Amino acid sequence: MSTSTYTQDTTTATTRQFAARMPVWLVSAAVVLVGALVTGVFEFAARAVGVPFNVALPGTGVDPAAIPATGLAWAVAELGLIGIIIAVCLARFAKRPRSTWKRTAWTLTALSCVPSLVAVTDSYATNIMLVISHLVAAVVIVPIIAARLSETNPRRG
């Protein structure tokens, strides 16, 4: 085994051990904040290339209005609270917290993309960027919380 592989494996194992000692709510809160930050950077980049973020719900008869500059990051942070509650509850009560979290989180991510697809916008690019922003947040948040959750719950053995 090479030294670099040993160092990488040791670092990864140490990081996992450290994260395993941290409470689920703390890891989840930190990851949601990172996900909000990454989504905010994505939104900033999309706006920089000229994607308009004007949205209205279908059937309301209202013209699309602009999403505030940090609107997507703020939405990730707010809705991430629901994800934190779900993760904590699964860690406590689910028989298989990790797999249940993955199924639940990816299903909710897919469902959250539907309003972005049907929203009335000034450009299809807006709809696409809204869907991608959901996926960006999920790709950051879901796997890290899953890694923190145990595969089986000793309380529900």
Side-chain angles (χ1 to χ4, degrees):
M1 178 187 298
S2 71
T3 305
S4 63
T5 303
Y6 176 74
T7 305
Q8 183 180 9
D9 292 343
T10 304
T11 304
T12 304
T14 305
T15 304
R16 283 189 190 136
Q17 290 171 353
F18 177 72
R21 290 191 309 250
M22 294 177 63
V24 172
W25 70 266
L26 184 59
V27 171
S28 300
V31 170
V32 165
L33 290 176
V34 170
L37 179 66
V38 170
T39 303
V41 169
F42 171 78
E43 176 186 7
F44 177 77
R47 287 179 189 269
V49 297
V51 176
F53 280 90
N54 300 325
V55 179
L57 293 175
T60 59
V62 178
D63 290 333
I67 295 175
T70 58
L72 299 182
W74 186 250
V76 169
E78 287 178 333
L79 296 173
L81 290 174
I82 296 169
I84 293 168
I85 292 168
I86 291 170
V88 168
C89 289
L90 290 175
R92 174 82 177 158
F93 301 112
K95 189 171 185 176
R96 298 180 48 141
R98 182 179 299 158
S99 60
T100 305
W101 163 257
K102 288 178 188 176
R103 285 192 314 268
T104 302
W106 289 118
T107 300
L108 291 175
T109 299
L111 290 173
S112 73
C113 291
V114 173
S116 298
L117 289 171
V118 299
V120 177
T121 60
D122 292 339
S123 166
Y124 288 122
T126 305
N127 297 82
I128 293 166
M129 289 301 155
L130 289 172
V131 169
I132 292 173
S133 70
H134 284 82
L135 300 176
V136 165
V139 164
V140 171
I141 296 169
V142 174
I144 296 174
I145 293 177
R148 171 53 188 91
L149 294 169
S150 62
E151 187 56 46
T152 59
N153 191 342
R155 294 181 189 120
R156 303 286 169 224

